[in-house]
Amino acid sequence: MSGTVESLKWSVDSDGIIGHLIESQNGTLSAAVKELIMNLVDKGSTKCEITLRDDYFSVVDNGIGFVDREDVENHFGCFGKRHEEGDAVYGRFRIGRGQIMSLAKVTWHSHEFKMTADYKKNSGGYELEVNQNEYVDGCTVYGQLYNVLTSWDFKNTVDEIKTFTKYMDVEVVLNGSILNSSITDVKWDYEDDDVMIKWEPKRQGCGVFVYSKGVFVKEISSYIYGLDSDVVTKKTLVLNMARNEIAESDPTWGKITTLLKAEAVRRAKHSKRKISEAQRLSLINQIICGDYPLSEAMDLKLFKDSRGVTFSFSAFKDRLFPITMSPNNHPLADHIASSKSATVFDVRELSRWGVTCCEEFLNLLADLFMSEMALCDKQTRRDSGYYLRRIREIRVVAYEKLCKGISSDLKILKTKELSDRDKAARNAIQCAANIMSKRISNILNINVHKRKILIGESQIAHGWTDGETYIAISRDALSFLDAGRYGMNQMALLLLHEYCHDESDVGSHEHAEYFFSKYHDLTMTMDKSAELIGHVASSLEGDYRTQLSKSLLSVPKFCDADPYAMSSDVFILNGKGRLSPFVKKLLECGREANLLDYNKKGKRLTLVSKTSKHFPLVEFLSNMMAEDGIDLPFFDYDSASARIVNNASSLDHHEHMDLIREEYKASVGILIEGWAYEHGHCPKAACEVINSLFSRYSCGAQHLKQVILNDSKTDVAYSESVGEHYKTPVFETDKIKVDYYMPTNIIGERWNCTVSRDELASSKAERVQFVVNSLKNVIGVLKDNDEKRKVLELITSASFVDSIVD
Ligand SMILES: Nc1ncnc2c1ncn2[C@@H]1O[C@H](COP(=O)(O)OP(=O)(O)OP(=O)(O)O)[C@@H](O)[C@H]1O
Ligand SMILES: [Mg+2]
């Protein structure tokens, strides 16, 4: 037996549905005000004056208002009444006015009618007052907000109203300021019968703002089209009731999306390889959907590995190594990618391609080329076929397998595990790190604490930090310091990188937004006195050399690699750490002539030579002597030549000239020596300066260093330039290298050994004595008994003595 079937009509619980309409639309004050503005445009208003306070608002229009009681009851008093086709530009659902009712006690005052809705007190209806004495033109809507706006909400509301009404064809004034300009004044980049588009590249990353007949609807993330623009339709779009979504079926919207996609592709092609992240993601979407063929994007850097390095399909297909998928921010991923063991895609990147593993990814790429092959011409088909084969050749390796061989341990080494060279490097890096923390504090205007430098061992990281107290540098990375300026810069960058981590980077290589902004601010400073990397790198270079020479270790080769580079030398002063007036004067002269700079802090004198070419020490010296009333005679070539001509000896011209020069030098030397003694300068040092008159090359910074070292009044202990030019080690153990040809004056200072280099060269006895004395002192310097024993063994061996003494 079949049951009875009835046809029934829907019914509505009017209280319930009206409650939803009032309470459950958009919910923000700006959106509610937007509704009021759309209504007044529908009623022929040309102007809209808004007043907004934290607890009150009003919207005044000059439209036709509510014309009679019937209009009030039918259109204000009734929700959901259908519109006649074409009777309104925006009005559609007859519910929009409900939005403001949930936020305020509101009155619509138009002509003699005042309708007040106080939803909180009377959710079921409104009060109508008819009073001819309070007649207004148009319609004024005003109300007391149920919740007072915070200053934050107030600002947002103002900003949003501004955005919402940007392209509306009505003048909107908010608290006395005009918010929008006439739409006819805008210069559109694209316009047809349906839509106007303005590209806004400067708004980078903000995305596409869609306006339905001038009223803001929604913002489309820049990741969808990789574009930033305002799109304004000429007709209203078909929207949902909250007016923040567009119906997919709307033909104008279909047309707009096609235009945006085409523009995205056009721009990507135009920008060749360089595409923004937003463009990349937008193109990936188009490629996956089949809207844009991958074969046309061969050179665009669409792929991104776990390090954030982007590359094109052209590069990808030629890679000989396999691919793998890593978890996001996995600490070993960087290492695997950098060592080219595999191309590492992280989970996040693969999800952007809509896949969950490498196999699916390769299948996707293969499918894309296959579908392209089905559609295109012979040549493209051939290309796609080739790409397809390449994809099939790409191997996939399990990430765990790649990780197996790599230890992710980050080990901190104990001091006793460090070599002297490691220690020297650590101490130098510590000085550099201290300078860095100070500079960072100054640049960012915050107190950045010093972090202790530790040396560690790691297969996966050059450096790591707990974000607060220490920075560990892997022992492998210390070799940066022996790699010249590049290495110093690299180490400075590594330190900066670690200083930018405010939290521990152990266990993750993720860099949060704050990291990048800090890194950016610190590297982009244009204030010379706050410059970071160059400053830290050059201090590091000086400190490293000082630390090495303190430990009697050889300085790296790069030190004299470029004779014209700026070089800095550090002298550690003895005793009270004084410089003699003589040396001071020479330094000042050099500084005035902009040939050098120096800086003396306590017992530390740093000499920076800006040139290693000839610099006129002689002139400085003769000026100094002139101040004391002694004029140095010039070497007069003309009279010297005349003397040679007159002299009928068997010597040739050159030999003659040499003799005359020697004579001249001796006479000048007497003058200088007398002056130097009198003024407490080292005569030898002063004479050296004048001797340089005859030797262009020794008259540069190198020469000045020797003068500083020789000047008896200057308390110089040693210079870090030890060994710079004399590289043959005489003996060597694990920890120490001693250079036989070190300038003897330095050796003399350090090891109380008074012997000149010439004497060493000429006398075997002197040489033996020198070596023995030096080595005794070296052994004295050594703290480690093992080390002492090794040196002793070494120097007592017959082969060693032979090698030195001969
Ligand atoms: N400022 C105004 N001047 C004159 N009439 C108005 C004004 N504001 C609203 N109305 C009348 O009130 C009606 C209801 O407005 P409401 O915003 O609720 O609906 P709608 O604009 O018709 O449609 P929608 O829900 O799509 O906004 C309007 O259709 C209009 O007739
Ligand atoms: Mg409306």
Side-chain angles (χ1 to χ4, degrees), residues 35-36 38-39 42 83 90-92 94-97 243:
E35 291 294 333
L36 299 178
M38 284 192 282
N39 285 351
D42 276 348
H83 273 274
Y90 299 112
R92 205 173 138 78
R94 208 89 68 172
I95 60 167
R97 68 194 178 290
R243 271 197 256 269

Side-chain angles (χ1 to χ4, degrees), residues 45-269:
S45 244
T46 53
K47 198 169 173 185
C48 154
E49 274 192 56
I50 306 168
T51 304
L52 182 67
R53 293 202 299 266
D54 61 356
D55 62 346
Y56 169 86
F57 81 93
S58 69
V59 178
V60 180
D61 73 44
N62 62 356
I64 59 169
F66 287 88
V67 289
D68 50 28
R69 189 175 173 118
E70 200 189 347
D71 188 14
V72 172
E73 285 181 17
N74 283 346
H75 301 133
F76 183 81
C78 177
F79 277 93
K81 199 170 193 89
R82 282 195 178 273
H83 273 274
E84 302 277 319
E85 185 66 36
D87 72 348
V89 181
Y90 299 112
R92 205 173 138 78
F93 309 109
R94 208 89 68 172
I95 60 167
R97 68 194 178 290
Q99 288 201 31
I100 193 73
M101 294 180 196
S102 68
L103 302 170
K105 176 185 174 189
V106 207
T107 301
W108 277 257
H109 187 182
S110 177
H111 307 164
E112 66 271 39
F113 305 108
K114 252 190 200 176
M115 293 79 82
T116 302
D118 189 354
Y119 184 70
K120 287 228 163 140
K121 283 204 180 130
N122 174 12
S123 60
Y126 64 102
E127 280 176 4
L128 172 66
E129 185 191 337
V130 185
N131 185 346
Q132 291 292 351
N133 296 332
E134 286 188 29
Y135 188 93
V136 293
D137 286 330
C139 180
T140 297
V141 187
Y142 59 88
Q144 204 67 33
L145 298 173
Y146 288 131
N147 293 318
V148 176
L149 295 176
T150 62
S151 50
W152 169 267
D153 288 336
F154 184 87
K155 183 183 174 300
N156 279 348
T157 306
V158 170
D159 289 348
E160 282 166 9
I161 294 175
K162 201 169 172 179
T163 307
F164 290 166
T165 57
K166 188 170 171 188
Y167 295 114
M168 280 184 90
D169 199 11
V170 59
E171 184 184 292
V172 182
V173 178
L174 174 62
N175 290 345
S177 317
I178 300 176
L179 289 193
N180 57 352
S181 50
S182 168
I183 194 161
T184 48
D185 294 345
V186 181
K187 264 193 159 179
W188 301 102
D189 296 308
Y190 174 87
E191 185 169 358
D192 63 20
D193 291 347
D194 300 316
V195 63
M196 300 169 284
I197 301 178
K198 188 166 166 50
W199 308 119
E200 298 277 11
K202 285 190 191 142
R203 229 167 45 192
Q204 242 184 38
C206 289
V208 177
F209 286 42
V210 185
Y211 293 81
S212 166
K213 188 134 177 74
V215 182
F216 178 81
V217 177
K218 71 171 186 172
E219 173 189 334
I220 302 172
S221 157
S222 63
Y223 293 123
I224 305 295
Y225 298 106
L227 296 169
D228 301 291
S229 65
D230 284 346
V231 173
V232 185
T233 60
K234 291 188 175 172
K235 282 181 240 142
T236 48
L237 290 165
V238 180
L239 305 175
N240 63 350
M241 286 216 276
R243 271 197 256 269
N244 55 12
E245 274 307 335
I246 306 158
E248 291 291 335
S249 55
D250 187 314
T252 309
W253 181 237
K255 179 176 177 178
I256 291 168
T257 52
T258 312
L259 278 170
L260 293 174
K261 281 181 195 166
E263 180 66 13
V265 170
R266 194 190 69 74
R267 276 174 195 243
K269 279 188 178 162

Side-chain angles (χ1 to χ4, degrees), residues 417-460:
E417 292 175 281
L418 303 180
S419 71
D420 282 355
R421 207 169 179 86
D422 293 341
K423 282 186 216 159
R426 180 199 56 195
N427 296 348
I429 297 170
Q430 183 69 67
C431 294
N434 294 349
I435 294 173
M436 186 167 269
S437 66
K438 212 164 166 190
R439 288 227 158 181
I440 296 177
S441 304
N442 288 343
I443 300 170
L444 300 182
N445 230 337
I446 48 170
N447 193 10
V448 174
H449 294 293
K450 286 180 189 169
R451 297 190 197 170
K452 192 174 166 62
I453 298 297
L454 303 169
I455 304 301
E457 262 174 6
S458 162
Q459 278 187 298
I460 56 161

